Amino acid sequence: MVAPAVPEIVEQDIESAIYSRNDALPTLRELGPPDLVHLIKQTIKSGGRQSGVYHHVTGVDASSSASLAAYINTLTQSSSDKSQKVVSGIYCCYNAFSRLDMRVEVKIPGGVESYCIDERGDKRVASDGLWLETFLCGVLRAYSYADDGSGDTIKKIIAVRRFDPITSTEVEHKFLDAAERLFFKGIYPPPTIVQTIAQVNTGWQLGSDPEIQVPNLVSNHLTTGLLNYIHTTGRYTSGQNLFEKLRTRDNEISSLLARVLISGDEEVQAIGVLKEVIEDLPMDYSLLDCQATFLQSKGNLEWALPLAQRAVTAAPSEFGTWAKLAEIYIGLEQWDLALLTLNSCPMFTYQDKDAPRMPEPLRVLLPVLPDAQLDEIDESQGYDTELIHPSLRKLNAAGYKGTFLKAYSLLTDITAKIGWDQLLRIRSQVFVMEEEYRSEKQTVGSQSIPSRNASTVALRGTPSPGVNGEGHKSNVEGEVQTERNGTLLSATGGTTVGASDKEINGSTPGPNQSIEKPENTVASEEVKSGNEAPDPSHSNYTHFQHKRLCERWLDNLFMVLYEDLRIYTIWRTDMARAKADASTNPASPTASSTYQKSAEEWEILGELAERLHHFPEAVEAYQSCLRVRFSPKAMKAVVKMWEDEKKSENVLQGMIRLIAWQYRWYSEFSPALLRTIRKLIEDEGAVKSLDRDLALLAEHGPEPKWISRHGCVLEINPLLCFHNNHKRMEVAVLMDNIISGPELRSAIRFALRAPSPNDDKPAIAITSVSDNGSPGPSSPAFRALIDGILYSRRFILSYHVVIACLVLGFTVVHWGTKARRLYKRRRTVEEHRSDSLDYSTKDALKRDEYTIGREDDNSGGSSSSSSTLRGTASPPHALKPHGPSDEQSPLLSKSRNTDQPIHKAWLANRTRAWLIYQPLPIPVVNKVLPSNAATLVVLALCAVNIFYTLYNVPFSLPLLFIFADRASLVFVANLPLLYLFAAKNQPIKFLTGYSYESLNILHRRLGEILCLLALLHSLGMIGVWYTLLRPTGFGLARFLFSKIILLGIGAVVCYESLYLTSLGWFRQRWYELFLGLHIVLQVVALVLLWFHHHNSRVYVGIALAIFLVDRLVYRMTLKVKTIRASLRVEDDQETVGVCIDTPLSTNKRTLRAIFGSNISNGWKATEHVFLTVPALSRKHIIQAHPFTIASKPPAVNANEASLELIIRAQDGFSGDLLKYAKGHDTVSVRLDGPYGSQTAVESLQNSDISVIVAGGSGIAVAWPLVWSVLDAQRSRDLEHQIQSSSQKRILFVWIVHKQSHLGWISQEKLNELQAQGVDTVTPPPTAENGRPDIRSIVDSWVSACDESLYGGRGKIGVVCSGPDGMNREVRNTCSGLAQKGRNIHVDIEKFGW
């Protein structure tokens, strides 16, 4: 963020400020004054004249001499006066612990010297321990001298630069660590008895707030600073940890811990801490006060009262305990006891902070940065006292501070609740009035009446006398007695206030009422007559034996309050009269002149109404002040009103104005303003507050939506960052390339001139002003930037709607197809039942007519005793039909569907063929491409992402941030979808029928898109730095090493590493490493994204939930089973057969429908399991590898089943398993599954012609698949009690590389398959005869069957599982058949589409 300007106070004599600081060191009592920075400047011309300048500063890191020297170095580089140069500088920072002034002297050019000065002016060595103390004191001073937003502190000490002392978590840890180490310094343990007594008398070394009379362990500047920091930043956990450690050394710290817990909404834990400690320290007033305050905040005043009374008893000399007791009495409406308690409060003179004492300067230079030169917030001219009415200048209450300010606030609180007249009545009933004292003095009786002190009465409770003095009764215990805090003439015990409570209700004087001036009371000094002993002559003043003497200071407060109420009543009366005149006669001179008050007068009237607890009237006065001229005090009061009314937009508007004013007066740090912003974030949310701040000003005029650069405002995405670790926002817009100085000033002017929601019209016209004061254009680039960012936030929400619509489309197609198949199946069954034809005879006839490998066909080298082709890649000529002769054939045979026009059918066939077709691999890289249909789906996904990345994004360097921001939004929006595509257990399978292995291609492509988006976002942010931040002095190292950028870089590295390790060549060589890195890197990336930016957390949380549910709930619990398996090595010595006999569950259908269940509930064809063999080695304990189940599915009512896996040994897991199988027959395995889609199975079961092609180990898919088709046909026939139509034809083709591979499926099983009517083709091994012509085998067989049996209209289903080359050839063969008009559907069983 751009630092504020540097003020300069020019000395008359060089280094006179240093000498004055040395002289003031012995008089410093507490934290010391702000740090002094003294510079010696010299004119650049030869023989230049030197001059001394200085300013004060707070918030600079004082942990070492290097940091202070660095600050001086920044002053030498940023000097705006080019005619002078800095030749030396001294930084002075006071160490309140050791009472030393730490000095760092810098010679330019030259070296750096650090030392310290004691109270006598002697030099000492600056050790590390002293620097630690100085650092802690510097942070405490930054909070102590920070402005509360009203500007009073800034106006009190001029030329002070205020910085945030804690800007990162590292500095916070250093601060809390220093506080922990130095907390007990100077008190525990004292070396000697003398020092113990001295320190008990002097108290805490750092001092305390003015309301604390005796500083102690829990009431001092250190604890005040700690609590202030915790409440400002909301870092309650850090505060809890600190005080938990400290309370182990002293139980008194528990009160501080309880306060932090209560503020952090941990009330139950706080009550537990208080209960635990109060048993050990029953009279610790800080604990009692904490409990009373907590009960008071909950409205339980009856319970708070005895605690407050005990606190007063425990600490009678502390003002705070008495003030708390008075507050509770006020809440209980016991006005007399409240006045008595207030009268008993120990008052002491206000002692201000250690202000710097400097000599008379030669001149004062208060420069302003060009961007902050705004007349609307400039108060450099100060108050003009000539414009203030004399009666307003004489209001003494405005100067009250410390205990007197608190006491006056309590008195005005009573007045606001019961009214001035009622207050005077109660005052006359409680205190001895001067007139009655003098009259009674003449008739003094002889009876002595004992009395109690007013403090004791306030603690024990005293009945109030009746109104106007009625109801007085004599009491033998009453006597005149004087004490330190009040003088009691008479006291009575017994009952409390009765009916008089109803009469103690008044109202504040209205416009037409007059204020009664209070009578004088008798001062305690008059009765005491200079000694503490009671005057015997006053022992029998029966007329006021129940009354007490009023302290002189309280009597003065009544007189000051009277003056305040008098001025307030005059003001409100005049205003009411003027409003009445304005409504009846707008042209009246009274109506037009009453409101013509100066801004100073309106501000004083606002303070007056606020002191008297008339807040609506105070806000009205402050708003009138703002109409005349900007005032930080008035603006803060109005913001407080808006905050109470939950008007967030108004609060943001006012906060921007206050921050701009603070920045103009060299202040970047105001805890009060930070607390307001943090509370706003807690109530509204950071993102909502940001969007609202960006948009609220656009409603008031044509100026662009804007963000101020000043102080503590908002930041957009990573460029304008939220400091979430401190629960506050910093406004740091560093966009000088986007907005020129005049345009930024115009935007700030627009904000300051924006009308209040309570105003009917703007006080000042809205214009755009340039440097010379002439109207200038608004910045369209800046408007485009803000509008683009806000539009992206809204636009990205529609992305999920588009994806949901796409999934819904696939869902409709899937379930529509299933419904259509079910309908056709039922219709076919009904037709078969009603047909009187003998199906068995018809089927036998057709079996004789159409066979493969008939005994009388010797072509093709086929066996005469088997329908299995061996030794040839060409189909047998027996595929030709041997039907009836031409004479017996009908003249019009069955033909293809001709319902559609020829050109439409041709176009449909060509389209279907093109969708099925699979292109050749990409040359050079040999990248296998999917089918055209899958490519279309991938391209659609890419198109949607490209559209959402580029739509409505301006491509210009000043607006590059919009593109970078949009890329990040599209990235995080895709995260849940990415994890959904990869999850083994996800709802997409149920909706669309596609399992995760089919969706894997989308997972890979989407992952590549996300890697590209992450890269574009990173490059875009670097471009933003280069074009926008670099010209402002924002270095690359500072940019890259900021927290938000570092986290983003880490996430990008993780995702790019994920992409590289997921490439095919890496997976094939190091599959196990790929699996491990895939899990670890994605988890690390999610964690980094979570902390990178808060907008990503929703998406990261959803993605993480998908991952954890899939992994932990399903894959590690519900779908896992450990069982014993037998191992065998096949004849080729390269393949392992795993056989598992498992019992089946009886409730498998229900479990499978709900949970997907495990292998105990059976499996279906084409499904696979993840196999883990822990016995192989330790690394294999957490590895799971997928293998297709090679055995046919179990029967419906089977109690047990045999599961077989065929595993080709390669490197890694399969190689280790082969070695293990050669020495072991059984092993314990863990099965996760089954998984897989039933698309291929359903396609074949609903086809008239089924073709199943297997290549090598693809037999694991094909073998159970062919049996599943046969079993489904038989079960359907038995279920509906019909005979098979026998027109369903099945072709089974198995291509192997070696002859030994045929042993995976025994010849007996193949013969059994042939007996079921399946045409089997097993060409010779490819290692001996080359690859067979699979195209001819499939094409000729399918064409022959379709033409002869179904007239070319049969429904054909093809499933292929094997190498990529064979899969592509089968797919393209089917594409050619579809182009010829065949109704064909093809499925390729592999990992991906």
Side-chain angles (χ1 to χ4, degrees):
M1 190 180 74
V2 178
V6 182
E8 291 183 349
I9 301 178
V10 183
E11 299 173 308
Q12 294 183 0
D13 300 321
I14 296 179
E15 293 188 349
S16 59
I18 299 294
Y19 299 144
S20 297
R21 187 177 177 93
N22 293 341
D23 295 340
L25 289 179
T27 64
L28 299 181
R29 301 180 305 275
E30 298 181 344
L31 288 175
D35 302 347
L36 173 66
V37 181
H38 184 274
L39 302 176
I40 296 179
K41 291 187 175 182
Q42 179 178 323
T43 57
I44 298 178
K45 297 180 181 179
S46 59
R49 175 175 169 274
Q50 291 185 344
S51 61
V53 299
Y54 67 90
H55 68 273
H56 292 91
V57 65
T58 62
V60 177
D61 184 3
S63 58
S64 66
S65 60
S67 59
L68 301 184
Y71 176 78
I72 296 179
N73 186 48
T74 61
L75 300 179
T76 62
Q77 296 175 355
S78 62
S79 177
S80 58
D81 187 1
K82 303 302 180 183
S83 63
Q84 292 182 318
K85 64 178 180 180
V86 178
V87 296
S88 66
I90 299 178
Y91 194 107
C92 307
C93 186
Y94 187 67
N95 181 344
F97 285 98
S98 300
R99 304 296 178 185
L100 299 172
D101 199 35
M102 310 297 292
R103 305 281 175 90
V104 175
E105 188 170 356
V106 180
K107 300 291 184 180
I108 303 173
V112 177
E113 180 186 3
S114 63
Y115 55 92
C116 54
I117 301 294
D118 61 13
E119 296 178 351
R120 294 175 295 181
D122 298 334
K123 274 190 176 182
R124 293 188 182 182
V125 178
S127 62
D128 293 339
L130 292 178
W131 281 117
L132 180 65
E133 296 173 357
T134 307
F135 165 72
L136 183 57
C137 291
V139 176
L140 298 179
R141 267 194 303 273
Y143 275 90
S144 178
Y145 285 93
D147 189 72
D148 61 354
S150 65
D152 291 341
T153 305
I154 290 178
K155 297 174 183 177
K156 186 175 182 179
I157 308 176
I158 63 172
V160 180
R161 304 180 81 194
R162 293 172 171 84
F163 297 98
D164 187 351
I166 303 176
T167 57
S168 64
T169 54
E170 291 77 15
V171 181
E172 180 198 61
H173 295 159
K174 186 193 301 185
F175 167 59
L176 297 179
D177 179 67
E180 180 183 356
R181 295 168 60 181
L182 300 175
F183 194 88
F184 298 98
K185 180 177 175 58
I187 287 187
Y188 298 101
T192 64
I193 298 297
V194 176
Q195 292 182 358
T196 300
I197 298 174
Q199 293 193 15
V200 168
N201 293 333
T202 59
W204 187 267
Q205 289 188 6
L206 298 183
S208 62
D209 291 339
E211 292 81 7
I212 305 297
Q213 185 170 4
V214 180
N216 54 46
L217 193 61
V218 296
S219 300
N220 53 73
H221 281 310
L222 177 56
T223 57
T224 301
L226 286 170
L227 294 176
N228 199 354
Y229 169 75
I230 294 168
H231 294 153
T232 299
T233 60
R235 304 282 285 175
Y236 298 112
T237 303
S238 300
Q240 294 171 19
N241 295 335
L242 172 64
F243 292 129
E244 281 284 5
K245 297 176 184 177
L246 294 175
R247 72 183 289 228
T248 58
R249 299 177 59 181
D250 196 309
N251 244 353
E252 288 186 41
I253 311 297
S254 300
S255 62
L256 300 177
L257 175 61
R259 295 180 191 274
V260 174
L261 289 171
I262 292 172
S263 300
D265 202 18
E266 297 287 347
E267 297 177 350
V268 176
Q269 187 177 352
I271 293 173
V273 171
L274 291 173
K275 178 181 180 300
E276 175 186 350
V277 181
I278 203 67
E279 297 176 354
D280 299 332
L281 304 172
M283 292 302 292
D284 186 285
Y285 84 89
S286 60
L287 291 171
L288 295 169
D289 183 73
C290 180
Q291 294 183 79
T293 304
F294 175 71
L295 292 173
Q296 183 185 11
S297 66
K298 297 300 181 181
N300 201 331
L301 299 177
E302 291 79 6
W303 289 9
L305 179 60
L307 293 171
Q309 292 173 341
R310 287 178 59 189
V312 169
T313 304
S317 62
E318 289 295 335
F319 171 82
T321 57
W322 288 95
K324 178 61 63 178
L325 181 59
E327 288 180 9
I328 294 175
Y329 278 136
I330 293 173
L332 293 172
E333 299 184 357
Q334 298 181 14
W335 317 114
D336 53 342
L337 293 180
L339 283 179
L340 285 173
T341 305
L342 192 60
N343 187 60
S344 303
C345 288
M347 310 297 289
F348 36 89
T349 306
Y350 176 79
Q351 294 183 351
D352 206 348
K353 301 173 184 176
D354 293 323
R357 302 174 184 176
M358 295 290 115
E360 187 70 21
L362 180 63
R363 62 180 178 273
V364 178
L365 304 177
L366 301 175
V368 185
L369 290 179
D371 293 339
Q373 290 178 348
L374 304 172
D375 297 337
E376 291 85 347
I377 62 173
D378 187 11
E379 287 189 322
S380 58
Q381 68 272 22
Y383 274 11
D384 188 356
T385 56
E386 297 297 329
L387 299 177
I388 304 176
H389 193 275
S391 62
L392 296 179
R393 294 199 298 263
K394 297 178 181 178
L395 296 178
N396 296 326
Y400 281 157
K401 296 179 181 179
T403 55
F404 289 93
L405 177 61
K406 179 63 177 177
Y408 187 76
S409 177
L410 293 173
L411 189 60
T412 54
D413 189 18
I414 298 174
T415 307
K417 292 180 178 179
I418 66 175
W420 173 248
D421 294 338
Q422 188 67 19
L423 177 64
L424 292 182
R425 294 191 190 100
I426 298 176
R427 174 174 174 263
S428 63
Q429 297 163 11
V430 173
F431 298 119
V432 178
M433 309 307 295
E434 181 179 7
E435 193 67 29
E436 63 180 349
Y437 173 75
R438 290 177 179 176
S439 62
E440 184 71 12
K441 190 175 182 180
Q442 301 175 1
T443 57
V444 178
S446 58
Q447 185 178 0
S448 178
I449 304 175
S451 67
R452 295 194 302 269
N453 181 271
S455 305
T456 308
V457 174
L459 286 176
R460 298 178 180 177
T462 301
S464 296
V467 179
N468 299 324
E470 298 178 1
H472 292 271
K473 296 181 180 180
S474 60
N475 193 315
V476 295
E477 297 179 357
E479 77 174 356
V480 178
Q481 180 180 351
T482 60
E483 294 291 343
R484 173 185 178 278
N485 294 325
T487 302
L488 175 65
L489 293 182
S490 178
T492 58
T495 60
T496 58
V497 180
S500 62
D501 288 345
K502 297 182 181 180
E503 302 180 16
I504 306 179
N505 291 318
S507 60
T508 302
N512 299 322
Q513 292 178 308
S514 61
I515 298 297
E516 178 187 353
K517 187 174 181 179
E519 299 178 5
N520 293 329
T521 60
V522 178
S524 58
E525 292 84 353
E526 183 177 349
V527 178
K528 294 177 184 178
S529 302
N531 58 70
E532 293 297 327
D535 188 351
S537 63
H538 301 161
S539 59
N540 196 21
Y541 291 160
T542 58
H543 197 82
F544 42 84
Q545 59 183 353
H546 298 283
K547 298 185 179 182
R548 293 141 193 92
L549 295 180
C550 180
E551 292 289 338
R552 176 61 64 190
W553 63 265
L554 182 57
D555 200 42
N556 291 336
L557 289 189
F558 275 98
M559 302 304 297
V560 172
L561 176 58
Y562 162 74
E563 188 65 21
D564 276 358
L565 288 173
R566 187 181 68 84
I567 299 298
Y568 174 81
T569 304
I570 294 173
W571 166 45
R572 298 308 299 174
T573 302
D574 292 343
M575 181 168 288
R577 184 182 301 111
K579 288 182 179 180
D581 293 343
S583 61
T584 57
N585 186 11
S588 172
T590 307
S592 60
S593 62
T594 303
Y595 293 101
Q596 293 179 359
K597 296 183 181 295
S598 65
E600 292 81 357
E601 290 177 325
W602 281 121
E603 185 175 317
I604 292 175
L605 290 174
E607 293 178 356
L608 171 63
E610 191 173 3
R611 283 198 305 271
L612 297 177
H613 298 272
H614 298 303
F615 300 109
E617 291 78 6
V619 172
E620 181 182 356
Y622 285 135
Q623 287 176 335
S624 300
C625 173
L626 292 174
R627 292 189 185 97
V628 180
R629 192 190 66 179
F630 180 79
S631 167
K633 179 176 294 184
M635 190 75 256
K636 183 189 176 187
V638 174
V639 168
K640 179 64 170 61
M641 183 266 293
W642 285 335
E643 186 179 359
D644 295 337
E645 295 177 357
K646 304 297 182 181
K647 295 181 178 180
S648 303
E649 295 182 0
N650 303 51
V651 172
L652 283 173
Q653 187 183 32
M655 290 299 298
I656 292 172
R657 301 182 185 189
L658 288 173
I659 290 164
W661 188 90
Q662 294 266 332
Y663 184 83
R664 182 262 174 270
W665 292 107
Y666 322 114
S667 174
E668 289 185 1
F669 178 60
S670 174
L673 299 184
L674 290 178
R675 279 194 293 269
T676 301
I677 294 179
R678 183 177 66 82
K679 187 175 183 299
L680 183 65
I681 294 176
E682 292 176 351
D683 295 340
E684 298 287 334
V687 177
K688 184 177 179 181
S689 299
L690 171 61
D691 294 341
R692 179 172 290 175
D693 182 67
L694 294 175
L696 72 94
L697 295 177
E699 302 175 1
H700 300 289
E703 292 290 339
K705 305 168 190 174
W706 66 286
I707 309 174
S708 169
R709 101 166 40 189
H710 303 286
C712 151
V713 199
L714 302 174
E715 186 179 8
I716 304 173
N717 217 349
L719 174 63
L720 313 171
C721 59
F722 284 100
H723 292 267
N724 286 328
N725 57 330
H726 289 273
K727 287 287 185 181
R728 59 185 174 84
M729 299 178 291
E730 286 195 9
V731 178
V733 176
L734 305 175
M735 298 182 177
D736 291 338
N737 285 28
I738 295 180
I739 312 174
S740 63
E743 290 169 341
L744 182 59
R745 288 193 293 275
S746 298
I748 297 177
R749 282 191 177 95
F750 165 71
L752 298 179
R753 293 170 175 175
S756 170
N758 297 328
D759 297 338
D760 297 333
K761 58 182 180 179
I764 303 177
I766 300 173
T767 58
S768 178
V769 185
S770 61
D771 281 334
N772 56 11
S774 62
S778 62
S779 174
F782 190 53
R783 179 187 294 274
L785 175 66
I786 302 304
D787 287 345
I789 293 171
L790 294 179
Y791 177 80
S792 296
R793 296 290 192 275
R794 299 188 300 267
F795 179 61
I796 196 62
L797 299 178
S798 63
Y799 176 80
H800 307 94
V801 178
V802 173
I803 296 299
C805 291
L806 292 176
V807 175
L808 180 61
F810 280 96
T811 303
V812 171
V813 171
H814 171 65
W815 286 99
T817 302
K818 295 189 72 170
R820 188 170 59 254
R821 287 174 179 174
L822 181 61
Y823 172 75
K824 289 184 177 181
R825 185 183 303 170
R826 292 179 178 177
R827 183 178 177 183
T828 302
V829 170
E830 293 175 358
E831 291 178 353
H832 278 294
R833 285 179 175 176
S834 61
D835 198 344
S836 59
L837 182 64
D838 187 351
Y839 293 98
S840 59
T841 305
K842 181 178 179 181
D843 182 60
L845 177 61
K846 292 187 176 180
R847 281 181 177 273
D848 293 338
E849 291 178 343
Y850 307 105
T851 59
I852 295 180
R854 293 191 312 162
E855 294 183 1
D856 57 349
D857 191 350
N858 297 321
S859 62
S862 61
S863 173
S864 60
S865 60
S866 173
S867 63
T868 303
L869 294 176
R870 298 181 186 274
T872 180
S874 302
H877 296 291
L879 285 171
K880 297 179 181 180
H882 293 265
S885 61
D886 293 339
E887 292 79 359
Q888 298 175 343
S889 301
L891 294 176
L892 298 176
S893 60
K894 294 180 181 180
S895 60
R896 297 172 191 170
N897 186 10
T898 59
D899 294 340
Q900 294 183 351
I902 296 177
H903 66 277
K904 290 186 178 181
W906 176 86
L907 181 60
N909 294 337
R910 296 284 293 187
T911 303
R912 291 179 60 251
W914 184 84
L915 292 175
I916 296 174
Y917 184 80
Q918 180 179 359
L920 292 172
I922 299 176
V924 183
V925 296
N926 196 31
K927 174 69 175 179
V928 178
L929 295 176
S931 66
N932 290 335
T935 302
L936 280 181
V937 176
V938 173
L939 290 178
L941 182 63
C942 295
V944 171
N945 280 273
I946 293 173
F947 172 77
Y948 273 87
T949 303
L950 303 180
Y951 178 73
N952 204 19
V953 173
F955 293 97
S956 61
L957 286 179
L959 301 178
L960 185 60
F961 182 77
I962 297 178
F963 171 74
D965 181 66
R966 180 72 67 84
S968 66
L969 291 176
V970 178
F971 177 93
V972 297
N974 274 304
L975 274 179
L977 194 61
L978 178 73
Y979 280 80
L980 198 61
F981 284 154
K984 308 299 183 293
N985 306 274
Q986 31 94 333
I988 296 182
K989 176 184 175 183
F990 172 78
L991 296 175
T992 65
Y994 294 109
S995 183
Y996 81 95
E997 67 273 14
S998 299
L999 300 172
N1000 183 260
I1001 187 174
L1002 296 180
H1003 170 72
R1004 293 182 183 178
R1005 299 296 87 82
L1006 187 59
E1008 294 167 356
I1009 293 173
L1010 262 61
C1011 289
L1012 178 61
L1013 288 172
L1015 191 60
L1016 291 176
H1017 174 68
S1018 302
L1019 295 177
M1021 292 309 301
I1022 293 176
V1024 170
W1025 167 81
Y1026 186 81
T1027 57
L1028 304 181
L1029 301 181
R1030 184 182 61 86
T1032 66
F1034 201 94
L1036 180 61
R1038 180 183 173 189
F1039 175 76
L1040 294 178
F1041 287 97
S1042 60
K1043 179 181 178 181
I1044 192 171
I1045 300 299
L1046 276 178
L1047 292 171
I1049 292 174
V1052 170
V1053 170
C1054 288
Y1055 280 109
E1056 300 303 327
S1057 302
L1058 271 173
Y1059 170 71
L1060 293 176
T1061 56
S1062 299
L1063 295 176
W1065 62 269
F1066 191 94
R1067 294 199 314 271
Q1068 293 173 2
R1069 294 186 181 183
W1070 302 289
Y1071 183 75
E1072 285 82 2
L1073 180 60
F1074 152 74
L1075 288 177
L1077 289 177
H1078 213 65
I1079 296 176
V1080 173
L1081 288 176
Q1082 62 93 15
V1083 171
V1084 173
L1086 285 180
V1087 174
L1088 293 175
L1089 275 181
W1090 177 274
F1091 292 103
H1092 172 60
H1093 199 269
H1094 59 88
N1095 281 342
S1096 65
R1097 293 182 178 177
V1098 174
Y1099 302 100
V1100 170
I1102 296 175
L1104 186 61
I1106 294 173
F1107 175 78
L1108 294 179
V1109 169
D1110 178 52
R1111 287 277 174 176
L1112 301 181
V1113 177
Y1114 283 93
R1115 301 199 61 191
M1116 296 184 66
T1117 54
L1118 295 178
K1119 303 204 71 172
V1120 174
K1121 181 177 183 180
T1122 301
I1123 197 170
R1124 200 73 182 174
S1126 60
L1127 304 176
R1128 71 174 186 276
V1129 180
E1130 303 293 346
D1131 296 338
D1132 59 358
Q1133 298 298 309
E1134 298 177 352
T1135 307
V1136 178
V1138 179
C1139 183
I1140 303 170
D1141 295 326
T1142 175
L1144 300 179
S1145 176
T1146 57
N1147 57 348
K1148 55 188 176 182
R1149 179 174 297 178
T1150 303
L1151 289 177
R1152 189 177 183 88
I1154 299 176
F1155 301 109
S1157 69
N1158 57 24
I1159 205 67
S1160 298
N1161 299 103
W1163 64 91
K1164 295 182 180 180
T1166 71
E1167 290 188 332
H1168 61 276
V1169 294
F1170 284 84
L1171 177 67
T1172 301
V1173 186
L1176 298 184
S1177 64
R1178 291 183 178 179
K1179 68 177 183 179
H1180 292 300
I1181 296 177
I1182 59 174
Q1183 292 184 10
H1185 298 261
F1187 296 99
T1188 304
I1189 302 173
S1191 54
K1192 66 180 182 179
V1196 177
N1197 298 322
N1199 294 324
E1200 61 180 359
S1202 178
L1203 182 146
E1204 295 184 5
L1205 304 176
I1206 299 176
I1207 304 175
R1208 290 286 305 275
Q1210 295 179 357
D1211 295 332
F1213 168 79
S1214 57
D1216 295 341
L1217 182 62
L1218 177 62
K1219 295 177 183 178
Y1220 187 88
K1222 291 181 178 180
H1224 303 80
D1225 295 331
T1226 61
V1227 67
S1228 178
V1229 298
R1230 186 167 64 244
L1231 297 179
D1232 172 20
Y1235 301 103
S1237 173
Q1238 294 299 297
T1239 304
V1241 178
E1242 295 174 354
S1243 175
L1244 293 182
Q1245 291 177 353
N1246 291 277
S1247 299
D1248 301 318
I1249 300 173
S1250 300
V1251 178
I1252 303 172
V1253 182
S1257 58
I1259 189 66
V1261 175
W1263 184 254
L1265 185 58
V1266 67
W1267 281 105
S1268 178
V1269 175
L1270 291 173
D1271 293 342
Q1273 181 65 27
R1274 286 197 302 267
S1275 63
R1276 189 183 303 126
D1277 294 344
L1278 292 175
E1279 180 182 357
H1280 299 291
Q1281 298 180 356
I1282 61 174
Q1283 292 182 339
S1284 176
S1285 62
S1286 298
Q1287 287 191 357
K1288 187 176 185 68
R1289 310 303 298 170
I1290 302 176
L1291 173 64
F1292 174 71
V1293 182
W1294 185 20
I1295 303 172
V1296 295
H1297 183 64
K1298 296 180 180 180
Q1299 185 69 29
S1300 58
H1301 293 171
L1302 293 172
W1304 296 346
I1305 303 295
S1306 63
Q1307 186 61 41
E1308 290 77 9
K1309 293 183 178 180
L1310 290 175
N1311 294 336
E1312 182 183 358
L1313 196 63
Q1314 296 168 19
Q1316 297 292 331
V1318 178
D1319 299 327
T1320 60
V1321 178
T1322 56
T1326 58
E1328 302 172 2
N1329 295 276
R1331 295 180 179 177
D1333 188 0
I1334 190 65
R1335 179 184 295 272
S1336 298
I1337 296 175
V1338 175
D1339 193 332
S1340 58
W1341 190 87
V1342 169
S1343 299
C1345 289
D1346 191 24
E1347 289 291 343
S1348 60
L1349 294 179
Y1350 303 100
R1353 296 188 299 174
K1355 191 172 183 180
I1356 306 167
V1358 179
V1359 176
C1360 181
S1361 177
D1364 289 329
M1366 188 190 77
N1367 292 340
R1368 181 171 51 82
E1369 189 171 359
V1370 171
R1371 183 184 289 278
N1372 292 343
T1373 301
C1374 296
S1375 175
L1377 292 171
Q1379 188 173 349
K1380 295 177 184 179
R1382 308 291 180 192
N1383 184 11
I1384 192 168
H1385 178 83
V1386 60
D1387 288 287
I1388 302 299
E1389 286 292 324
K1390 60 167 293 185
F1391 198 68
W1393 281 10

